[in-house]
Amino acid sequence: GNSVTQMEGPVTLSEEAFLTINCTYTATGYPSLFWYVQYPGEGLQLLLKATKADDKGSNKGFEATYRKETTSFHLEKGSVQVSDSAVYFCALPMDTGRRALTFGSGTRLQVQP
Amino acid sequence: DAGVIQSPRHEVTEMGQEVTLRCKPISGHDYLFWYRQTMMRGLELLIYFNNNVPIDDSGMPEDRFSAKMPNASFSTLKIQPSEPRDSAVYFCASSGNLYEQYFGPGTRLTVT
């Protein structure tokens, strides 16, 4: 089946710093890729997605580009805010034809004022 | 839409008791997923349904766990008997005709 690897956290940044959270995947074919965010005490929320190679997903200032050459889908934001403090999960379908997603282990981001 | 609704939000029970977690998916979604989240194991898929039919229950830990979806708007996850190692946050998620899933707020279960 497909799998995903995320960078270990926590990532601690000052407000307005640049953010990168690395995600690499192993997959059959070119499945859709997702980033989810989990704020404290809440469920996961879809942050952005990309459905094919070279697509760029974006939302709330976050971006990620589907790179088939490097099998990566790194999450970036140019200027983080304290309110971005959360856990971020990279995800993709478990296998071709299966609707279930497999999630990375999550990366905790802490933004300090 | 109200989103995915889960109840209760918090459940504290004693070892050996039966626990029932409930989920109402987003209207029109035909896939429903149950996950468990712990610090040690992260987010684990327990089971998922398509059109109320269980498709994959390979993640269900053991016979103490069971899940049902009697209709398109309701699902339950039951643990009987409960054990302290079942303590976790249990999430329900639903999905329509795309792969993206929408999660509920979760039920925090504590078994003492």
Side-chain angles (χ1 to χ4, degrees):
Chain A
N2 300 334
S3 63
V4 58
T5 302
Q6 283 183 240
M7 62 186 288
E8 293 278 333
V11 174
T12 302
L13 296 174
S14 297
E15 208 164 21
E16 299 183 4
F18 185 86
L19 168 71
T20 300
I21 299 178
N22 290 339
C23 169
T24 57
Y25 65 89
T26 303
T28 303
Y30 303 105
S32 296
L33 303 175
F34 304 89
W35 276 102
Y36 281 80
V37 59
Q38 184 178 28
Y39 299 102
E42 298 184 11
L44 280 70
Q45 300 175 23
L46 179 64
L47 179 59
L48 56 83
K49 67 176 182 180
T51 58
K52 59 183 187 296
D54 300 325
D55 259 5
K56 178 184 283 189
S58 61
N59 186 26
K60 300 181 180 180
F62 290 90
E63 294 182 339
T65 301
Y66 192 157
R67 305 269 189 214
K68 65 178 181 179
E69 302 85 2
T70 54
T71 61
S72 64
F73 192 54
H74 305 323
L75 183 68
E76 297 182 334
K77 187 175 186 183
S79 176
V80 294
Q81 306 300 311
V82 172
S83 57
D84 295 326
S85 298
V87 181
Y88 293 83
F89 295 88
C90 187
L92 76 165
M94 281 187 166
D95 211 337
T96 303
R98 291 183 71 190
R99 290 297 297 272
L101 298 178
T102 187
F103 290 83
S105 55
T107 303
R108 182 175 299 278
L109 170 65
Q110 298 173 330
V111 181
Q112 298 175 337
Chain B
D1 200 316
V4 176
I5 299 172
Q6 291 187 247
S7 64
R9 292 295 310 275
H10 302 273
E11 177 79 42
V12 180
T13 191
E14 292 184 347
M15 183 173 63
Q17 296 299 304
E18 178 180 292
V19 175
T20 300
L21 311 181
R22 296 173 177 80
C23 175
K24 177 179 169 56
I26 292 172
S27 177
H29 282 187
D30 54 357
Y31 283 85
L32 184 139
F33 305 83
W34 283 100
Y35 292 90
R36 178 172 68 177
Q37 186 178 41
T38 61
M39 289 293 290
M40 291 295 293
R41 303 169 86 131
L43 196 64
E44 302 174 277
L45 175 69
L46 300 177
I47 185 171
Y48 76 96
F49 296 82
N50 177 218
N51 291 324
N52 314 335
V53 175
I55 301 301
D56 184 349
D57 65 354
S58 59
M60 295 286 263
E62 48 198 272
D63 292 345
R64 298 184 298 106
F65 285 69
S66 62
K68 294 182 180 179
M69 192 165 186
N71 57 62
S73 58
F74 184 65
S75 177
T76 59
L77 178 67
K78 185 175 293 186
I79 307 172
Q80 166 63 19
S82 58
E83 297 182 3
R85 60 192 167 123
D86 301 330
S87 297
V89 181
Y90 290 81
F91 289 105
C92 175
S94 70
S95 178
N97 58 3
L98 299 173
Y99 277 94
E100 52 213 68
Q101 296 179 16
Y102 295 85
F103 282 71
T107 296
R108 181 174 295 278
L109 173 65
T110 303
V111 183
T112 61

